[in-house]
Amino acid sequence: MIIGIPREGRVGERRVAATPESAKALIEMGFTVCVAENAGLLASFPDSSFEQVGASIVSQEAAWASVVVLQVNPPSVEEIGGMRQGGTLISLLRPAQNQALLDTLMGKKATALALDQIPRITRAQKMDVLSSMGNIAGYRAVVEASQHYGGFFGGQMTAAGKSAPAKVLVIGAGVAGLSALGAARGLGATVYAFDVRVSAKEQVESLGGRFLTVEIEESGETAGGYAKTMSKEFIDAEMALFREHAPTTDVVITTALIPGRAAPKLWLADMVAAMKPGSVVVDLAAEQGGNCEGTVAGEVVQVDGVNIIGYTDLVSRLPTVASRFFAKNVQNLIVELGGAEGWHIDHEDEAVRGALAVEAGELRFPPPKIERPPPPVVAPPTQVTAPEPKAESGVGRLLASAAFVGVFGAIGLFAPIEFVQHFSVFVLSCFVGWQLIWNVNHALHTPLMSVTNAISGIILVGGLLQTGRGESFTALPVILAAVALLLASINVVGGFLVTHRMLAMFRRGN
Amino acid sequence: MLIPMTLPLSVAAETWLPESLLPVAYLVAGILFVLSIGGLSSQKSASRGNFFGMAGMVLAVVATMLAPEVASYGVMAGAIAVGAIVGAALASRVGMTSMPQLVAALHSFVGLAAVLVGLSTYLDPGHPLQGPEAIIHGVEILLDVAIGAVTFTGSVVAWAKLDGRLSGKPLLLPGRHFLNLFLVAAIVGLSVPFLQADPGEGEVWLLAIAGVASLLGVHLVASIGGADMPVVVSLLNSYSGWTAAAAGFMLGNDLLIITGALVGSSGAILSSIMCKAMNRSIWNVVFGGFGSDGSAPAANADQPEGEWTEIPLGNLVDRILDAQEVVIVPGYGMAVGQAQRAVDSFTRDLQGRGIRVRFAIHPVAGRLPGHMNVLLAEAGVPYDIVMEMDEINGDLPKTDVVLVIGANDIVNPSAQTDPASPIAGMPVLEVWKSELTVVFKRGRGVGYAGVVNPLFFLDKTRMFFGDARDSMEKINAELKSRP
């Protein structure tokens, strides 16, 4: 089976859908890999590096005519025209927005797998290009912001004066947002992150960010771990929060996307105006219309002295690593499809079925809905409060008190004085023991058991008294007591010695 | 602690010793036992505490031998000598991994000794008893024998389970609660004719009580699963204390009462600590029949979908060498695999490279309270890098690599996330918050509690399959080859 990797048709795209590394893996799986001339050049993978691992360099047309074609971006209708009849395409596709593409693919009796439609389940994470690309976009957003920002990210105190750390606000703590948070923290900035999903709080805090919330009870999380559209009250509260932060924020990075819809407007013109001149807004949703009013897709514009960065190719600006991650995701999907020998489209495989947009000319998008809980990475464990121990009921307490009075009363009324004396010793000893044991170090619980074991061998005193009366050692009571004495001595000696052995092992570090 | 001490068995015998000397000696022995347990509050004073315990025991034995009613020494010297030799041999041979078995075996000895002393005392009370005194004495004897018998057979079953001679699965007989109730009722029922019999002639009834109590002991422990063994062992520890206390009442000996009460409370508190660590009540542990594969079918039905990712040796060592903070979570698997020494040399190697290594101990890791601490101490790991769960949980998010060696349920996130899980609400080590969690696992099965662990499928988790010791030794060898 031949896999072809044509050059990307989209202007400004530097990524490539396969790297020498992934090509090598594909060849090992039994594929013949044909890379179009200079397909990897902009990602720093020259043709020679593909040839070294056994791939062939072919013309752009030949690459498109392969049985399986790997692309990063959704191809154009013309490019699909170059595909063979019944070929297979694996790329980003956005099938919901690209009906014309689907029609063309169906006309070609083609099979198309949309990488952007792979469900976000734990098992499919290794194929999740949206996550791997989001991570890169978030990092690059910080790099772009720092380039347009006129100050340090980290605070400095020098003989020439001091500079406070930059305040960065990340809106949307998804993969890209968290990655931006981490990168900005790495440069020393103070980072705030806002998300409608309460479950994002823990992740934000684990990266050293401060989580901003709106005090309205509503979680904006769908079953798939994505954000949903929120109620009006929520949005009003959210806007008020942003307005409050706008004057003191140096860098805003917006990453809010709702699947299949235009990006929500979150950073409005008045907030931009409230920011200090020289501040920066990086809008990762620029391609879907932008989260910021004033964003121009693909460009940097100045509004009220604020730089608004609307690049749509942030990922492509890190072409080498982006290609490597992308190619690895694709490679994992191809493993899932069975490699060259076992190649088949398995409808039972949730990841494959999710991605499947067109199969042999038949429309397969959208996939049947499967309700499932959010994957653990997108929604981190929420604390389940331990079931509270049942509070003692009043009746129970009354009964206990009654029993207490009854037992002590009966003992006081009927028991002989000798028993009462022993009983007082017993009760007081229980209290002493109770106090004592709670102080024992947890690490010494095993020695505690062996030492209490040894001292409970004190029962040998009973054996001593019974054997020592001078009666014949063949008398049954004496034999029984002698055996008891023997067993108890094992306990005493064994218990103390093993405790000693154990305690001698505990040593401090230097 | 001024407690009235009474002379054991108030026999008027001619003696050269003042009457009060024996009770005072017992009082001092009691104080020494208290100090001995008090010493265990820290590692520094622990050894001294153990010597206090020995001194108390020697004092108690010598004082008893000098008691007025003791007239011959031949039999007792022989029995003590044999017992001491056997005990010393056991103590010096036992491996630290077999501590749970040893402790259970020692409990059974206390139980059996109490039964035998009880029978012996009944047959030969030393002096005649009448009226209410005789009844109370009878009750004391039957309590001593019944608790002793439960402790004895229960400990034998616990020993067999811990030693692998019996399956760890709970024995779940139909109507087992009624069986327990019936056995208790039988003991109460048998005690009536026993107390009505003439002194010295009810031994048949006493033996019957011992027999029924033995059955009760077997059934109680047999119906508890292997994962709950730490609780069972500490419960039996408690029983052995109450046995000694009952014997003290029977013999009118305050030292036995004091010691029994100390040991009894100790075991009770340990059981309660263990139960809290599993977020279960003591009733649930004793009567729940939990801790087997069979008891958790609901959990198996909806296994979290996912697949493990294994980590190659070279990669693992790279990640460890890149780390600044490494935390090791040992479990019973480390003990089974005898990996503790390899873990110690691993620790030293990393410390030599300036990587901070610490251990995170869950209260119920292993099969005995504090078991992991002893194993690590034996291997030479200094105790000040061995942390309790509460001390280290807050540091786990800042940890680069967590190595989970042979532990499963104590690192299971579903305890926090899945209210339907059999271990829901159990405090666990939150290893998934670290940068990378590597799970060392022998096989691909579920943990002792029979619960699926979603930790294995998280994307920051990697699996390293194989015997714990082999795996650690492979890593050590790989580390040696790196500068």
Side-chain angles (χ1 to χ4, degrees):
Chain A
M1 250 172 121
I2 299 172
I3 287 189
I5 297 107
R7 285 186 299 276
E8 292 296 317
R10 180 175 146 148
V11 181
E13 183 57 72
R14 271 159 274 195
R15 286 172 293 175
V16 60
T19 60
E21 199 187 339
S22 80
K24 186 163 173 244
L26 294 174
I27 290 166
E28 279 164 10
M29 277 184 244
F31 292 101
T32 306
V33 176
C34 295
V35 184
E37 292 166 297
N38 293 335
L41 193 64
L42 296 173
S44 313
F45 299 115
D47 290 350
S48 57
S49 65
F50 283 103
E51 280 171 325
Q52 266 169 19
V53 298
S56 328
I57 302 300
V58 298
S59 68
Q60 176 77 345
E61 291 71 29
W64 267 111
S66 307
V67 179
V68 179
V69 177
L70 307 184
Q71 279 277 281
V72 177
N73 293 294
S76 64
V77 172
E78 294 73 49
E79 282 173 320
I80 292 172
M83 279 180 74
R84 70 164 64 193
Q85 205 68 17
T88 297
L89 172 70
I90 298 178
S91 75
L92 295 171
L93 219 52
R94 301 197 186 88
Q97 287 99 323
N98 280 331
Q99 191 56 45
L101 265 189
L102 295 183
D103 292 341
T104 322
L105 284 163
M106 286 188 280
K108 276 271 178 191
K109 299 276 175 234
T111 297
L113 289 150
L115 291 167
D116 45 298
Q117 296 300 314
I118 288 176
R120 301 195 115 173
I121 53 176
T122 312
R123 201 175 58 78
Q125 271 177 13
K126 58 188 179 185
M127 304 169 241
D128 187 354
V129 290
L130 294 186
S131 291
S132 62
M133 296 299 112
N135 174 24
I136 293 169
Y139 169 86
R140 186 69 198 192
V142 172
V143 173
E144 295 295 339
S146 74
Q147 190 164 350
H148 289 87
Y149 178 58
F152 288 124
F153 265 45
Q156 289 218 358
M157 204 172 284
T158 71
K162 66 172 187 175
S163 145
K167 179 176 162 185
V168 176
L169 171 61
V170 177
I171 298 174
V175 181
L178 290 173
S179 162
L181 198 174
R185 281 287 299 158
L187 288 171
T190 307
V191 188
Y192 290 78
F194 177 89
D195 200 291
V196 293
R197 298 165 303 145
V198 181
S199 60
K201 178 171 194 280
E202 196 179 21
Q203 292 169 328
V204 166
E205 285 170 356
S206 74
L207 286 168
R210 297 179 203 179
F211 189 65
L212 291 182
T213 39
V214 170
E215 306 227 335
I216 285 181
E217 291 282 319
E218 179 175 9
S219 176
E221 191 161 359
T222 63
Y226 281 106
K228 63 171 189 195
T229 316
M230 308 298 289
S231 72
K232 179 162 184 310
E233 285 131 325
F234 190 96
I235 290 171
D236 288 346
E238 186 181 329
M239 292 298 143
L241 182 74
F242 291 163
R243 284 197 180 91
E244 180 192 326
H245 280 271
T248 54
T249 301
D250 299 303
V251 175
V252 176
I253 297 173
T254 65
T255 70
L257 279 179
I258 295 174
R261 303 178 60 152
K265 291 280 181 241
L266 298 173
W267 203 253
L268 308 181
D270 69 301
M271 301 174 197
V272 174
M275 292 176 82
K276 286 171 284 192
S279 303
V280 181
V281 177
V282 187
D283 194 338
L284 265 67
E287 198 166 11
Q288 281 79 15
N291 293 133
C292 175
E293 284 184 349
T295 297
V296 178
E299 283 179 36
V300 182
V301 292
Q302 274 218 338
V303 178
D304 297 325
V306 176
N307 296 298
I308 302 176
I309 302 173
Y311 291 148
T312 54
D313 61 344
L314 285 170
V315 177
S316 190
R317 285 167 183 252
L318 255 70
T320 309
V321 70
S323 301
R324 277 190 23 230
F325 284 11
F326 192 98
K328 183 76 180 174
N329 291 144
V330 171
Q331 178 195 325
N332 287 333
L333 175 63
I334 292 175
V335 171
E336 199 76 6
L337 291 166
E341 273 93 55
W343 184 274
H344 72 294
I345 308 285
D346 181 1
H347 285 235
E348 298 301 309
D349 184 327
E350 226 177 305
V352 173
R353 181 64 192 92
L356 189 62
V358 179
E359 185 180 19
E362 302 281 325
L363 187 66
R364 292 276 184 261
F365 176 85
K369 272 220 161 61
I370 301 167
E371 275 301 320
R372 59 164 41 255
V377 167
V378 183
T382 43
Q383 205 76 17
V384 177
T385 42
E388 286 287 321
K390 274 182 209 136
E392 259 180 74
S393 67
V395 181
R397 229 173 260 181
L398 206 67
L399 279 177
S401 311
F404 185 81
V405 171
V407 167
F408 278 77
I411 289 172
L413 287 174
F414 302 111
I417 184 71
E418 202 187 331
F419 178 81
V420 175
Q421 284 171 348
H422 291 315
F423 189 68
S424 26
V425 171
F426 175 72
V427 172
L428 288 178
S429 301
C430 286
F431 277 96
V432 171
W434 189 258
Q435 295 296 328
L436 212 54
I437 307 297
W438 282 114
N439 279 329
V440 171
N441 190 320
H442 277 222
L444 295 176
H445 276 164
T446 298
L448 172 68
M449 301 201 79
S450 61
V451 85
T452 51
N453 227 312
I455 65 174
S456 63
I458 190 70
I459 198 147
L460 67 76
V461 166
L464 284 175
L465 294 172
Q466 290 299 106
T467 52
R469 288 214 195 91
E471 287 162 43
S472 155
F473 61 85
T474 52
L476 185 60
V478 176
I479 294 176
L480 291 177
V483 175
L485 189 51
L486 192 154
L487 291 172
S489 322
I490 295 180
N491 235 350
V492 170
V493 175
F496 278 126
L497 281 186
V498 86
T499 311
H500 179 70
R501 249 183 84 196
M502 268 189 273
L503 292 176
M505 291 166 186
F506 282 92
R507 64 171 190 90
R508 267 187 85 81
N510 331 318
Chain B
M1 198 181 71
L2 281 174
I3 294 164
M5 293 281 162
T6 52
L7 192 67
L9 304 177
S10 46
V11 189
E14 290 301 318
T15 171
W16 50 274
L17 279 172
E19 203 183 8
S20 302
L21 197 58
L22 184 60
V24 169
Y26 281 173
L27 174 60
V28 174
I31 291 172
L32 286 169
F33 289 155
V34 169
L35 290 177
S36 130
I37 295 177
L40 291 172
S41 59
S42 90
Q43 280 92 343
K44 271 172 266 169
S45 56
S47 276
R48 197 176 57 216
N50 196 36
F51 285 116
F52 282 141
M54 294 184 196
M57 191 57 76
V58 170
L59 181 63
V61 170
V62 171
T64 311
M65 285 179 166
L66 296 177
E69 65 267 40
V70 174
S72 91
Y73 295 95
V75 178
M76 68 173 69
I80 291 182
V82 174
I85 291 168
V86 174
L90 273 180
S92 52
R93 292 238 184 96
V94 64
M96 288 302 133
T97 41
S98 320
M99 274 312 291
Q101 292 94 303
L102 179 73
V103 168
L106 290 180
H107 287 150
S108 74
F109 294 158
V110 175
L112 186 54
V115 173
L116 295 174
V117 171
L119 289 174
S120 169
T121 309
Y122 183 72
L123 294 176
D124 180 10
H127 62 291
L129 293 164
Q130 285 149 0
E133 219 186 352
I135 299 279
I136 288 195
H137 192 63
V139 171
E140 288 164 353
I141 288 180
L142 84 86
L143 276 180
D144 171 79
V145 168
I147 305 178
V150 170
T151 312
F152 170 55
T153 54
S155 300
V156 168
V157 175
W159 169 80
K161 281 195 172 191
L162 289 165
D163 208 38
R165 281 159 209 261
L166 276 182
S167 146
K169 282 189 182 170
L171 170 76
L172 299 176
L173 298 178
R176 57 186 196 281
H177 301 320
F178 288 104
L179 182 60
N180 287 333
L181 272 180
F182 171 75
L183 291 174
V184 172
I187 292 173
V188 174
L190 287 168
S191 63
V192 175
F194 167 68
L195 291 173
Q196 282 169 346
D198 288 335
E201 282 168 23
E203 68 259 33
V204 179
W205 301 111
L206 192 56
L207 285 174
I209 289 172
V212 175
S214 301
L215 278 180
L216 181 62
V218 169
H219 180 242
L220 273 180
V221 177
S223 64
I224 297 178
D228 288 337
M229 275 302 154
V231 187
V232 174
V233 174
S234 36
L235 261 185
L236 291 168
N237 184 248
S238 182
Y239 291 167
S240 75
W242 305 129
T243 311
F249 278 103
M250 175 177 80
L251 299 170
N253 185 315
D254 282 332
L255 181 59
L256 280 177
I257 297 179
I258 297 174
T259 314
L262 288 178
V263 176
S265 337
S266 160
I269 292 174
L270 286 182
S271 316
S272 127
I273 292 176
M274 296 297 115
C275 287
K276 208 170 280 171
M278 298 193 292
N279 192 39
R280 317 232 322 266
S281 75
I282 189 84
W283 301 111
N284 184 274
V285 172
V286 175
F287 299 116
F290 181 87
S292 70
D293 294 348
S295 74
N300 289 341
D302 59 339
Q303 291 196 3
E305 189 182 328
E307 57 187 49
W308 1 64
T309 316
E310 293 189 41
I311 187 165
L313 179 63
N315 254 345
L316 173 58
V317 171
D318 290 342
R319 292 294 299 258
I320 291 171
L321 289 178
D322 285 344
Q324 286 169 350
E325 286 267 355
V326 173
V327 168
I328 299 174
V329 180
Y332 191 55
M334 184 184 83
V336 172
Q338 296 279 346
Q340 58 270 32
R341 281 174 210 284
V343 169
D344 177 55
S345 42
F346 171 76
T347 307
R348 282 166 204 272
D349 188 303
L350 294 198
Q351 283 175 331
R353 296 168 195 259
I355 300 169
R356 188 170 180 216
V357 187
R358 288 183 298 169
F359 289 81
I361 309 293
H362 191 279
V364 293
R367 291 289 175 270
L368 200 62
H371 192 191
M372 289 298 131
N373 301 79
V374 169
L375 288 181
L376 292 173
E378 182 199 24
V381 174
Y383 62 77
D384 47 2
I385 62 168
V386 180
M387 305 288 151
E388 282 173 41
M389 175 168 69
D390 296 341
E391 290 176 310
I392 204 157
N393 246 349
D395 289 351
L396 288 174
K398 289 178 278 175
T399 303
D400 302 299
V401 180
V402 173
L403 305 177
V404 178
I405 303 178
N408 189 345
D409 297 329
I410 58 173
V411 292
N412 191 335
S414 57
Q416 292 185 355
T417 52
D418 178 7
S421 165
I423 58 167
M426 165 171 156
V428 287
L429 285 158
E430 297 165 343
V431 296
W432 56 88
K433 293 187 177 168
S434 66
E435 279 303 305
L436 174 74
T437 306
V438 181
V439 180
F440 291 69
K441 214 166 171 309
R442 187 156 41 170
R444 290 154 202 250
V446 291
Y448 225 140
V451 184
V452 173
N453 194 339
L455 170 73
F456 302 158
F457 312 119
L458 296 184
D459 74 333
K460 287 200 291 186
T461 304
R462 294 289 178 275
M463 307 300 290
F464 198 80
F465 287 108
D467 173 73
R469 186 163 73 178
D470 289 351
S471 303
M472 284 317 293
E473 277 168 359
K474 271 189 228 157
I475 292 173
N476 284 341
E478 180 75 16
L479 277 171
K480 290 246 157 48
S481 70
R482 310 281 183 100

